[in-house]
Amino acid sequence: MRTEGLQQPRDVSDTTLTRELSFEEIQELPPDGGYGWVCVACCFTINAFTWGVLSSYGVYLAYYLQNNIFPDGTSFDFALIGGLNFSMAMIVSPLATALTRRYGVYLPMALGILCQTSGFISASFARLIWQLYLSQGVLVGFGIGLTWIPSIAVLPQWFQKRRSMANGICSAGSGIGGLMFSFAVRAILSNASLAWALRICGLVSAFMNILATCAIRSRNHIVQPRLHPFDVRLFQRYEVLLALAWGFVSMFGYVILLFSLSDFARSIGLGSGQTAAITALLNLGTAIGRPVVGVMSDKFGRIETAGSVTFLCFVSVFAIWVPATSYGATICFAIINGGILGVFWMTIAPVSAEVVGLKELPSMLSLAWMMVVLPCTFSEVIALKLRRVNASREFLYAQIFCGLAYLVASFFAFELWRVHRKKTHARLLDRRGD
């Protein structure tokens, strides 16, 4: 009827209305480019100066464990602080989603920058372990969550065919940021002090995140997503449960690998310079590998790629990391696994869009963030408890736990692939029947 109305309009008002409606329908489709590439650059920057900064916590962790900076702190405390960075970023997701629904993306992102900067600067003045918990743990975590969570749902609104590639480029930002900050933090710790390392991290990340926040643009006014902070109705869908289970289990492997690799390098007799290089190369692998995974995801399927890469993480842990006893083998593992270990962060937004669609995407992502709170908090604590301090292979049990986490997670991802493919096939048959 709309096509006929455009070809033979009865009057001017009908024609105008028809053209407006058609234009609105076209607008809802992701443009697959345009200003979306500016948003890619913004999200890349946000990843670099939120998660990238957080990736350098392994350097802080090694420094805390080797130096008696906080006499009342234990290895358990320092591991838990690193876990709080992740878990607080996830637990704040309902608040970030609610603020985005009411005020748009800019207010929560501005609050996040304020929290992250305040956390790092206040941590530089911490003298007791509880002060470090609140500053570098809780406050920095809140800041990262409030800054990053509103931005993660922006890209799928701008891209359709190249959605995973765009998401992979953005995810690579955390690798570039981790690479920069790993070297920078170690250099500042060696030549200045812990306090100045924390302050510089806070100030530099604040400046860059402010620039990215000013330039990013959402299409919420066009897509009109359902921004429910905690939409429990999604739990009624089997596909949603499978996607959440995949993220929950895989996060145990991710956090253990990210935070334990530098300490593992120390345990096999490598020096501080070599451990810093391994951390940096892990982040370099992230920067190179994530865009590649994004391109593969667009070509071979988002859910299929997520499951395959998760299984590849399991293989790499048992084939390379477990038998590694030398600098060369550890470097090889860091570069290879750096590109794939964060498969959840690379693919969760495109996979969620496949499972629930664009309108339900923010609500689905909010559930995903909440589901990974527990593994983010306690994964490194579990790794330290599994560590055998005086054994010849100190991290063996932690390595096995890490690999098995990826294996179980891959089962959930492959089941999601099977169910989604069956559902998509049934939908195509219904359309052909109509």
Side-chain angles (χ1 to χ4, degrees), residues 5 38 42 47 81 111 125 134 143 165 182 192 194 201 212 236 244 288 351 381 406:
V38 177
C42 294
N47 272 283
I81 288 169
L111 290 175
F125 296 100
L134 293 179
M165 183 184 71
S182 293
L194 171 65
C201 280
Q236 299 173 4
L244 295 177
I288 296 172
V351 165
V381 175
Y406 277 121

PDB file of all heavy atoms in Angstrom, residues 5 38 42 47 81 111 125 134 143 165 182 192 194 201 212 236 244 288 351 381 406:
ATOM      1  N   GLY A   5       0.926   4.192  -2.745  1.00  0.00           N
ATOM      2  CA  GLY A   5       0.689   5.570  -2.329  1.00  0.00           C
ATOM      3  C   GLY A   5       1.763   6.491  -2.854  1.00  0.00           C
ATOM      4  O   GLY A   5       1.510   7.637  -3.195  1.00  0.00           O
ATOM      5  N   VAL A  38      33.416   6.699  13.441  1.00  0.00           N
ATOM      6  CA  VAL A  38      33.845   7.588  14.530  1.00  0.00           C
ATOM      7  C   VAL A  38      33.523   6.937  15.872  1.00  0.00           C
ATOM      8  O   VAL A  38      34.328   6.979  16.809  1.00  0.00           O
ATOM      9  CB  VAL A  38      33.167   8.975  14.415  1.00  0.00           C
ATOM     10  CG1 VAL A  38      33.567   9.876  15.587  1.00  0.00           C
ATOM     11  CG2 VAL A  38      33.523   9.641  13.094  1.00  0.00           C
ATOM     12  N   CYS A  42      35.855   5.891  19.041  1.00  0.00           N
ATOM     13  CA  CYS A  42      35.519   6.264  20.423  1.00  0.00           C
ATOM     14  C   CYS A  42      35.513   5.038  21.327  1.00  0.00           C
ATOM     15  O   CYS A  42      36.075   5.056  22.436  1.00  0.00           O
ATOM     16  CB  CYS A  42      34.159   6.950  20.470  1.00  0.00           C
ATOM     17  SG  CYS A  42      34.098   8.543  19.642  1.00  0.00           S
ATOM     18  N   ASN A  47      37.821   1.433  25.431  1.00  0.00           N
ATOM     19  CA  ASN A  47      38.377   0.130  25.820  1.00  0.00           C
ATOM     20  C   ASN A  47      39.832   0.244  26.247  1.00  0.00           C
ATOM     21  O   ASN A  47      40.261  -0.394  27.214  1.00  0.00           O
ATOM     22  CB  ASN A  47      38.260  -0.853  24.650  1.00  0.00           C
ATOM     23  CG  ASN A  47      36.946  -1.601  24.636  1.00  0.00           C
ATOM     24  OD1 ASN A  47      36.741  -2.540  25.399  1.00  0.00           O
ATOM     25  ND2 ASN A  47      36.032  -1.168  23.788  1.00  0.00           N
ATOM     26  N   ILE A  81      41.230  -7.539  45.229  1.00  0.00           N
ATOM     27  CA  ILE A  81      41.131  -6.166  44.708  1.00  0.00           C
ATOM     28  C   ILE A  81      41.091  -6.189  43.183  1.00  0.00           C
ATOM     29  O   ILE A  81      40.310  -5.469  42.556  1.00  0.00           O
ATOM     30  CB  ILE A  81      42.297  -5.312  45.233  1.00  0.00           C
ATOM     31  CG1 ILE A  81      42.102  -5.019  46.718  1.00  0.00           C
ATOM     32  CG2 ILE A  81      42.407  -3.990  44.454  1.00  0.00           C
ATOM     33  CD1 ILE A  81      43.306  -4.408  47.395  1.00  0.00           C
ATOM     34  N   LEU A 111      29.950  10.255  34.839  1.00  0.00           N
ATOM     35  CA  LEU A 111      30.088   9.783  36.219  1.00  0.00           C
ATOM     36  C   LEU A 111      31.156   8.696  36.319  1.00  0.00           C
ATOM     37  O   LEU A 111      31.917   8.639  37.292  1.00  0.00           O
ATOM     38  CB  LEU A 111      28.745   9.245  36.725  1.00  0.00           C
ATOM     39  CG  LEU A 111      27.641  10.273  36.965  1.00  0.00           C
ATOM     40  CD1 LEU A 111      26.337   9.571  37.344  1.00  0.00           C
ATOM     41  CD2 LEU A 111      28.043  11.258  38.063  1.00  0.00           C
ATOM     42  N   PHE A 125      47.078   7.664  47.687  1.00  0.00           N
ATOM     43  CA  PHE A 125      47.251   8.135  49.065  1.00  0.00           C
ATOM     44  C   PHE A 125      46.909   7.054  50.089  1.00  0.00           C
ATOM     45  O   PHE A 125      46.946   7.311  51.299  1.00  0.00           O
ATOM     46  CB  PHE A 125      46.369   9.366  49.322  1.00  0.00           C
ATOM     47  CG  PHE A 125      46.751  10.563  48.487  1.00  0.00           C
ATOM     48  CD1 PHE A 125      46.035  10.874  47.338  1.00  0.00           C
ATOM     49  CD2 PHE A 125      47.829  11.367  48.842  1.00  0.00           C
ATOM     50  CE1 PHE A 125      46.374  11.980  46.567  1.00  0.00           C
ATOM     51  CE2 PHE A 125      48.183  12.463  48.069  1.00  0.00           C
ATOM     52  CZ  PHE A 125      47.461  12.767  46.930  1.00  0.00           C
ATOM     53  N   LEU A 134      38.665   0.109  48.702  1.00  0.00           N
ATOM     54  CA  LEU A 134      37.645   1.081  48.313  1.00  0.00           C
ATOM     55  C   LEU A 134      38.042   1.905  47.096  1.00  0.00           C
ATOM     56  O   LEU A 134      37.194   2.261  46.279  1.00  0.00           O
ATOM     57  CB  LEU A 134      37.333   2.013  49.490  1.00  0.00           C
ATOM     58  CG  LEU A 134      36.654   1.382  50.709  1.00  0.00           C
ATOM     59  CD1 LEU A 134      36.433   2.411  51.799  1.00  0.00           C
ATOM     60  CD2 LEU A 134      35.317   0.743  50.311  1.00  0.00           C
ATOM     61  N   GLY A 143      33.828   3.048  38.131  1.00  0.00           N
ATOM     62  CA  GLY A 143      34.123   3.983  37.054  1.00  0.00           C
ATOM     63  C   GLY A 143      34.206   3.306  35.701  1.00  0.00           C
ATOM     64  O   GLY A 143      33.649   3.795  34.707  1.00  0.00           O
ATOM     65  N   MET A 165      33.200  -7.279  13.103  1.00  0.00           N
ATOM     66  CA  MET A 165      34.490  -6.672  12.792  1.00  0.00           C
ATOM     67  C   MET A 165      34.665  -5.367  13.563  1.00  0.00           C
ATOM     68  O   MET A 165      35.729  -5.115  14.150  1.00  0.00           O
ATOM     69  CB  MET A 165      34.612  -6.398  11.295  1.00  0.00           C
ATOM     70  CG  MET A 165      35.967  -5.820  10.895  1.00  0.00           C
ATOM     71  SD  MET A 165      36.074  -5.378   9.141  1.00  0.00           S
ATOM     72  CE  MET A 165      35.006  -3.922   9.107  1.00  0.00           C
ATOM     73  N   SER A 182      51.126  -1.460  30.657  1.00  0.00           N
ATOM     74  CA  SER A 182      51.997  -2.442  31.303  1.00  0.00           C
ATOM     75  C   SER A 182      53.439  -1.942  31.347  1.00  0.00           C
ATOM     76  O   SER A 182      54.101  -2.002  32.386  1.00  0.00           O
ATOM     77  CB  SER A 182      51.938  -3.780  30.549  1.00  0.00           C
ATOM     78  OG  SER A 182      50.666  -4.368  30.668  1.00  0.00           O
ATOM     79  N   ALA A 192      59.949   6.179  39.603  1.00  0.00           N
ATOM     80  CA  ALA A 192      59.285   7.181  40.449  1.00  0.00           C
ATOM     81  C   ALA A 192      58.734   6.500  41.695  1.00  0.00           C
ATOM     82  O   ALA A 192      59.471   6.194  42.624  1.00  0.00           O
ATOM     83  CB  ALA A 192      58.197   7.905  39.664  1.00  0.00           C
ATOM     84  N   LEU A 194      54.959   4.175  43.430  1.00  0.00           N
ATOM     85  CA  LEU A 194      53.628   3.605  43.259  1.00  0.00           C
ATOM     86  C   LEU A 194      52.580   4.709  43.176  1.00  0.00           C
ATOM     87  O   LEU A 194      51.664   4.648  42.350  1.00  0.00           O
ATOM     88  CB  LEU A 194      53.307   2.666  44.425  1.00  0.00           C
ATOM     89  CG  LEU A 194      51.873   2.154  44.519  1.00  0.00           C
ATOM     90  CD1 LEU A 194      51.526   1.267  43.331  1.00  0.00           C
ATOM     91  CD2 LEU A 194      51.649   1.391  45.830  1.00  0.00           C
ATOM     92  N   CYS A 201      48.038   7.067  35.755  1.00  0.00           N
ATOM     93  CA  CYS A 201      46.996   6.224  35.157  1.00  0.00           C
ATOM     94  C   CYS A 201      45.635   6.912  35.207  1.00  0.00           C
ATOM     95  O   CYS A 201      44.886   6.927  34.217  1.00  0.00           O
ATOM     96  CB  CYS A 201      46.925   4.881  35.886  1.00  0.00           C
ATOM     97  SG  CYS A 201      48.174   3.685  35.399  1.00  0.00           S
ATOM     98  N   ALA A 212      36.629  10.740  24.079  1.00  0.00           N
ATOM     99  CA  ALA A 212      35.789   9.717  23.451  1.00  0.00           C
ATOM    100  C   ALA A 212      34.321   9.916  23.785  1.00  0.00           C
ATOM    101  O   ALA A 212      33.442   9.750  22.918  1.00  0.00           O
ATOM    102  CB  ALA A 212      36.250   8.333  23.897  1.00  0.00           C
ATOM    103  N   GLN A 236      13.435 -16.724  30.520  1.00  0.00           N
ATOM    104  CA  GLN A 236      12.521 -17.756  30.046  1.00  0.00           C
ATOM    105  C   GLN A 236      12.967 -18.355  28.714  1.00  0.00           C
ATOM    106  O   GLN A 236      12.420 -19.360  28.264  1.00  0.00           O
ATOM    107  CB  GLN A 236      11.114 -17.166  29.907  1.00  0.00           C
ATOM    108  CG  GLN A 236      10.539 -16.658  31.216  1.00  0.00           C
ATOM    109  CD  GLN A 236       9.218 -15.923  31.036  1.00  0.00           C
ATOM    110  OE1 GLN A 236       8.680 -15.847  29.931  1.00  0.00           O
ATOM    111  NE2 GLN A 236       8.679 -15.376  32.118  1.00  0.00           N
ATOM    112  N   LEU A 244      24.294 -16.909  28.606  1.00  0.00           N
ATOM    113  CA  LEU A 244      24.745 -16.454  29.927  1.00  0.00           C
ATOM    114  C   LEU A 244      25.648 -17.493  30.590  1.00  0.00           C
ATOM    115  O   LEU A 244      26.636 -17.145  31.245  1.00  0.00           O
ATOM    116  CB  LEU A 244      23.540 -16.153  30.809  1.00  0.00           C
ATOM    117  CG  LEU A 244      22.647 -14.985  30.360  1.00  0.00           C
ATOM    118  CD1 LEU A 244      21.443 -14.843  31.291  1.00  0.00           C
ATOM    119  CD2 LEU A 244      23.425 -13.674  30.301  1.00  0.00           C
ATOM    120  N   ILE A 288      46.068  -7.629  18.172  1.00  0.00           N
ATOM    121  CA  ILE A 288      46.118  -8.193  16.819  1.00  0.00           C
ATOM    122  C   ILE A 288      44.993  -9.195  16.597  1.00  0.00           C
ATOM    123  O   ILE A 288      44.350  -9.212  15.542  1.00  0.00           O
ATOM    124  CB  ILE A 288      47.487  -8.877  16.576  1.00  0.00           C
ATOM    125  CG1 ILE A 288      48.613  -7.830  16.622  1.00  0.00           C
ATOM    126  CG2 ILE A 288      47.497  -9.604  15.234  1.00  0.00           C
ATOM    127  CD1 ILE A 288      50.003  -8.438  16.590  1.00  0.00           C
ATOM    128  N   VAL A 351      26.803 -11.629  19.642  1.00  0.00           N
ATOM    129  CA  VAL A 351      26.064 -12.852  19.950  1.00  0.00           C
ATOM    130  C   VAL A 351      24.714 -12.512  20.583  1.00  0.00           C
ATOM    131  O   VAL A 351      23.679 -13.100  20.236  1.00  0.00           O
ATOM    132  CB  VAL A 351      26.892 -13.766  20.886  1.00  0.00           C
ATOM    133  CG1 VAL A 351      26.012 -14.855  21.497  1.00  0.00           C
ATOM    134  CG2 VAL A 351      28.047 -14.392  20.133  1.00  0.00           C
ATOM    135  N   VAL A 381      41.274 -15.341  43.146  1.00  0.00           N
ATOM    136  CA  VAL A 381      41.362 -15.896  44.505  1.00  0.00           C
ATOM    137  C   VAL A 381      41.440 -17.418  44.433  1.00  0.00           C
ATOM    138  O   VAL A 381      42.245 -18.053  45.133  1.00  0.00           O
ATOM    139  CB  VAL A 381      40.138 -15.452  45.339  1.00  0.00           C
ATOM    140  CG1 VAL A 381      40.160 -16.124  46.703  1.00  0.00           C
ATOM    141  CG2 VAL A 381      40.127 -13.935  45.489  1.00  0.00           C
ATOM    142  N   TYR A 406      37.295 -23.194  30.125  1.00  0.00           N
ATOM    143  CA  TYR A 406      37.071 -22.913  28.705  1.00  0.00           C
ATOM    144  C   TYR A 406      36.407 -24.092  28.000  1.00  0.00           C
ATOM    145  O   TYR A 406      35.567 -23.901  27.105  1.00  0.00           O
ATOM    146  CB  TYR A 406      38.402 -22.582  28.023  1.00  0.00           C
ATOM    147  CG  TYR A 406      38.843 -21.143  28.198  1.00  0.00           C
ATOM    148  CD1 TYR A 406      40.059 -20.834  28.801  1.00  0.00           C
ATOM    149  CD2 TYR A 406      38.049 -20.092  27.740  1.00  0.00           C
ATOM    150  CE1 TYR A 406      40.473 -19.522  28.947  1.00  0.00           C
ATOM    151  CE2 TYR A 406      38.449 -18.783  27.883  1.00  0.00           C
ATOM    152  CZ  TYR A 406      39.662 -18.491  28.493  1.00  0.00           C
ATOM    153  OH  TYR A 406      40.059 -17.189  28.632  1.00  0.00           O
TER     154      TYR A 406
END
